[in-house]
Amino acid sequence: MLCQNCEQNEANVHITRIINGEKTEVFLCEECAEEKGQFSLESEAFSFQNLLSGILNPDVSSSVSREAALKCENCGLKYGEFSETGILGCAECYDQFSERLEPLIKRIQGSSQHEGKVPKRKGGDLRLRNELNHLREELDQVIAEENFEKAAELRDQIYELEDRLGSEQK
Amino acid sequence: MNIGDQNLKLSQWISGEGPQQDIVLSNRIRLARNLEKTAFPGRAGREELSKISKKIRETKEVENKNNLKYIEVNNISPVERKILVEKNLTSPFHLQNHPEAGLLINEEENICIMINEEDHIRIQVLTAGFQLNSSWEKADKIDDNLEKDLDFAFSKKLGYLSACPTNLGTGLRASVMVHLPALNFTNNINQLLGAVSQLGLVVRGIYGEGSESAGNIYQISNQVTLGNSEQDIIDNLKDVTLQIIEEERNTRKRLLSERKNYVTDRIMRAYGILRYARKISGEEAMELISQVKMGIDMGVIDSLDTKMLSELMILIRPAHLQKRFAFEPGEQKEEIKRASLIRERMKQSS
């Protein structure tokens, strides 16, 4: 059989992709396969959603089908629908499916604790707490560097934030 | 609604005048946000979507600042939609007939807020060259201001809640569009891009997820959005990009010193074809423009300006040509018109 791409060399590489149950087969020669490999970086064939549904639908055991029937009480999305599309229905879904989502989030993101920006109004004292944590880390660092002038400055800032946090909690 | 007059005008960030512009064409910051107690767009009904859109458009940030113009996706023609994608202002997904999907764009086209795409809000800031920090500061400010009037879905543990768990946490996707002809030419690109993916970054083609690379242009962005601060994400992308810039520059220098005849011949041939071709495919044109751009950046060609080339990379895309020369998709005219536009611009510039 000849390579489906260049139609010149003998096809000795066989690529099968199964995405959402749809099977595609390609027969290529080594050269073209290598070239294709270059493009596979950008290929949609393995988008996140495809991979996710692969992770979520490994086989059809009874526990999986029970899981699929789980439903978000707020928006009505079934867990099974999420595992097909990778898209949740509402913010509440994160709580409703938390047990199942947590390991998944860890797998995708490598972490399950937010470290970044906190909305000013909605975040409450979390914003101050994060700032406080950063200052404390910085303090440790400047002490290690024996930069005591800077350390004194940071310490004052930390006291001030602690005061603010304390008064907000009362 | 007619956005025709604005259509063929190119935004400043596309013209590519910015720091490190010989390699970094542009950069983008994107923040995903959702309103609390409201279903995500994919699950919300038409009425709800319309309320969401109205709520966002009625914020003080949108009404009073930035001169944002609202474009409702369903009210513009298919060609105009494609033009928005070709300019990288929105995603193909956003344009698939979703009810109440829209875009808020400012006149300079460097701020573009998508409404009811996969998430309720996606703030995008685009800048020419390599200026990630200033893009981030702008996006951060828009986000702060929107939050004054909107309650965003947020959890202390998971951060900003997004429709897809891949955008959780910061909701930040920072990306740079880099032009790497020399690395591609010397076959070092795959090795480099492989290394990049081990550093928490993703490499994509020119139109984001699922697109192929064209004209040696790659989009590099952060992979994970949760667990690192925005500044850490941006710093990582910056550090890696700086190394890529260095690699590409060194490779160009080596090409010039070690294979001068070969590489200048290639560049000048590319230039010749662009100057005189009567019919050209988008793929070939992108490849040749890429080589000529490298030639200018390397000092091999000094009679052209790179701004014109950066613009051509957008203007020769199918929907842009269709709009400019008013022909129907699928007509044979595309390749002929593309060649004639390129000839005209090259002649003007030289």
Side-chain angles (χ1 to χ4, degrees):
Chain A
M1 179 175 197
L2 284 180
C3 169
Q4 289 177 342
N5 193 46
C6 63
E7 293 175 357
Q8 281 169 13
N9 304 329
E10 185 68 21
N12 44 19
V13 178
H14 178 193
I15 300 170
T16 311
R17 281 177 181 166
I18 302 171
I19 293 154
N20 288 340
E22 210 175 290
K23 190 168 159 190
T24 50
E25 285 182 286
V26 199
F27 296 87
L28 302 168
C29 68
E30 250 170 61
E31 263 170 53
C32 290
E34 205 172 301
E35 209 174 295
K36 287 270 171 200
Q38 194 174 325
F39 292 118
S40 69
L41 268 174
E42 291 86 38
S43 142
E44 188 165 36
F46 293 106
S47 75
F48 164 73
Q49 266 83 4
N50 299 143
L51 286 177
L52 180 63
S53 49
I55 293 170
L56 291 168
N57 299 310
D59 53 24
V60 202
S61 64
S62 60
S63 74
V64 168
S65 55
R66 228 183 302 133
E67 208 168 70
L70 268 177
K71 212 168 162 181
C72 169
E73 279 170 22
N74 184 48
C75 72
L77 180 90
K78 286 190 193 126
Y79 192 74
E81 292 173 76
F82 164 68
S83 44
E84 264 168 41
T85 60
I87 307 281
L88 290 160
C90 66
E92 189 68 19
C93 289
Y94 282 102
D95 275 339
Q96 300 263 330
F97 303 134
S98 65
E99 233 173 83
R100 277 148 197 92
L101 286 177
E102 203 158 313
L104 177 76
I105 290 169
K106 197 126 202 229
R107 200 158 160 182
I108 303 168
Q109 298 275 4
S111 162
S112 49
Q113 180 58 52
H114 178 54
E115 288 288 341
K117 184 172 177 175
V118 173
K120 285 204 177 89
R121 285 186 309 117
K122 293 289 297 171
D125 59 13
L126 186 61
R127 209 176 166 102
L128 289 180
R129 276 179 203 287
N130 280 353
E131 206 179 320
L132 199 54
N133 283 341
H134 282 137
L135 285 173
R136 284 182 181 140
E137 273 173 33
E138 213 180 318
L139 180 64
D140 287 345
Q141 206 183 331
V142 296
I143 289 175
E145 289 163 0
E146 301 189 359
N147 182 350
F148 298 115
E149 209 174 306
K150 179 81 186 162
E153 210 177 280
L154 286 171
R155 205 192 45 217
D156 289 347
Q157 288 178 22
I158 288 172
Y159 286 157
E160 197 201 311
L161 272 185
E162 282 173 345
D163 273 357
R164 266 166 68 192
L165 266 173
S167 60
E168 268 178 35
Q169 269 162 2
K170 270 170 215 164
Chain B
M1 189 193 303
N2 186 11
I3 55 165
D5 32 323
Q6 204 177 338
N7 260 196
L8 293 169
K9 203 188 75 188
L10 286 181
S11 0
Q12 191 270 338
W13 65 268
I14 287 176
S15 311
E17 308 249 288
Q20 322 266 25
Q21 60 168 328
D22 54 330
I23 299 184
V24 185
L25 302 178
S26 64
N27 65 86
R28 168 205 310 252
I29 294 287
R30 189 219 69 195
L31 293 173
R33 298 290 185 256
N34 285 284
L35 307 184
E36 65 165 19
K37 301 193 180 96
T38 312
F40 295 141
R43 190 97 194 142
R46 183 159 206 145
E47 211 170 297
E48 203 172 357
L49 289 168
S50 152
K51 269 189 210 154
I52 295 163
S53 170
K54 215 167 147 227
K55 241 184 182 171
I56 299 165
R57 283 182 284 143
E58 282 173 358
T59 56
K60 287 185 203 78
E61 177 67 2
V62 174
E63 285 202 326
N64 305 337
K65 288 189 206 154
N66 301 320
N67 288 319
L68 294 165
K69 181 169 149 186
Y70 182 65
I71 297 170
E72 191 165 327
V73 169
N74 285 333
N75 285 348
I76 58 174
S77 72
V79 174
E80 286 173 324
R81 289 184 204 184
K82 275 190 215 140
I83 284 183
L84 292 171
V85 177
E86 288 181 350
K87 283 181 174 177
N88 266 306
L89 291 172
T90 185
S91 64
F93 173 80
H94 195 208
L95 303 177
Q96 287 164 3
N97 276 320
H98 298 294
E100 305 294 335
L103 289 160
L104 289 160
I105 308 182
N106 68 345
E107 190 156 349
E108 297 84 26
E109 296 188 344
N110 57 2
I111 296 173
C112 176
I113 301 172
M114 296 190 224
I115 298 178
N116 289 331
E117 201 234 22
E118 189 178 287
D119 296 300
H120 295 141
I121 301 176
R122 288 199 167 179
I123 304 165
Q124 298 187 96
V125 173
L126 305 119
T127 325
F130 194 34
Q131 315 186 57
L132 280 168
N133 277 337
S134 75
S135 304
W136 157 245
E137 280 160 22
K138 234 184 242 168
D140 186 30
K141 206 162 169 197
I142 294 172
D143 178 44
D144 281 346
N145 289 335
L146 285 175
E147 198 233 335
K148 287 179 187 160
D149 294 319
L150 301 169
D151 288 317
F152 289 150
F154 180 84
S155 111
K156 287 185 180 178
K157 190 173 161 52
L158 298 175
Y160 290 94
L161 301 174
S162 51
C164 181
T166 46
N167 295 313
L168 267 181
T170 56
L172 168 69
R173 196 74 62 196
S175 63
V176 290
M177 203 76 96
V178 285
H179 181 224
L180 307 174
L183 285 168
N184 203 0
F185 184 49
T186 53
N187 281 329
N188 285 323
I189 195 93
N190 285 341
Q191 213 183 336
L192 181 88
L193 300 182
V196 162
S197 64
Q198 288 176 354
L199 295 165
L201 301 175
V202 194
V203 183
R204 299 188 169 111
I206 198 164
Y207 290 119
E209 201 173 333
S211 66
E212 289 203 343
S213 160
N216 301 311
I217 296 170
Y218 299 86
Q219 189 182 323
I220 304 175
S221 58
N222 59 302
Q223 176 153 38
V224 305
T225 52
L226 179 69
N228 293 308
S229 71
E230 288 82 358
Q231 199 57 55
D232 287 345
I233 291 172
I234 289 166
D235 287 345
N236 183 43
L237 177 62
K238 256 170 67 184
D239 291 346
V240 175
T241 307
L242 279 172
Q243 290 183 58
I244 294 175
I245 294 173
E246 203 52 35
E247 283 293 317
E248 171 71 19
R249 285 212 182 115
N250 285 338
T251 312
R252 289 182 189 184
K253 266 187 215 142
R254 275 188 40 216
L255 279 176
L256 260 191
S257 67
E258 291 166 31
R259 305 188 68 185
K260 188 169 184 192
N261 287 335
Y262 187 77
V263 75
T264 48
D265 179 66
R266 228 174 106 124
I267 290 167
M268 295 318 280
R269 278 168 187 271
Y271 183 31
I273 294 174
L274 290 174
R275 276 297 300 259
Y276 297 105
R278 288 319 197 239
K279 185 170 166 289
I280 193 164
S281 73
E283 204 182 330
E284 186 185 3
M286 284 299 279
E287 178 58 37
L288 298 177
I289 290 172
S290 159
Q291 291 184 28
V292 171
K293 181 172 176 351
M294 177 172 78
I296 299 170
D297 292 329
M298 281 166 53
V300 173
I301 298 176
D302 57 8
S303 57
L304 288 176
D305 89 293
T306 48
K307 188 170 172 236
M308 180 272 298
L309 286 177
S310 305
E311 288 180 0
L312 265 186
M313 283 183 174
I314 308 278
L315 293 175
I316 60 162
R317 294 176 187 177
H320 274 82
L321 289 174
Q322 260 176 54
K323 178 86 188 176
R324 176 180 297 268
F325 297 107
F327 57 88
E328 292 299 310
E331 274 187 70
Q332 299 297 305
K333 287 182 186 153
E334 185 184 306
E335 298 198 339
I336 297 168
K337 292 294 179 193
R338 180 178 292 114
S340 104
L341 180 68
I342 294 172
R343 286 200 311 274
E344 180 198 315
R345 291 290 162 118
M346 290 257 171
K347 207 170 153 194
Q348 277 171 9
S349 166
S350 62

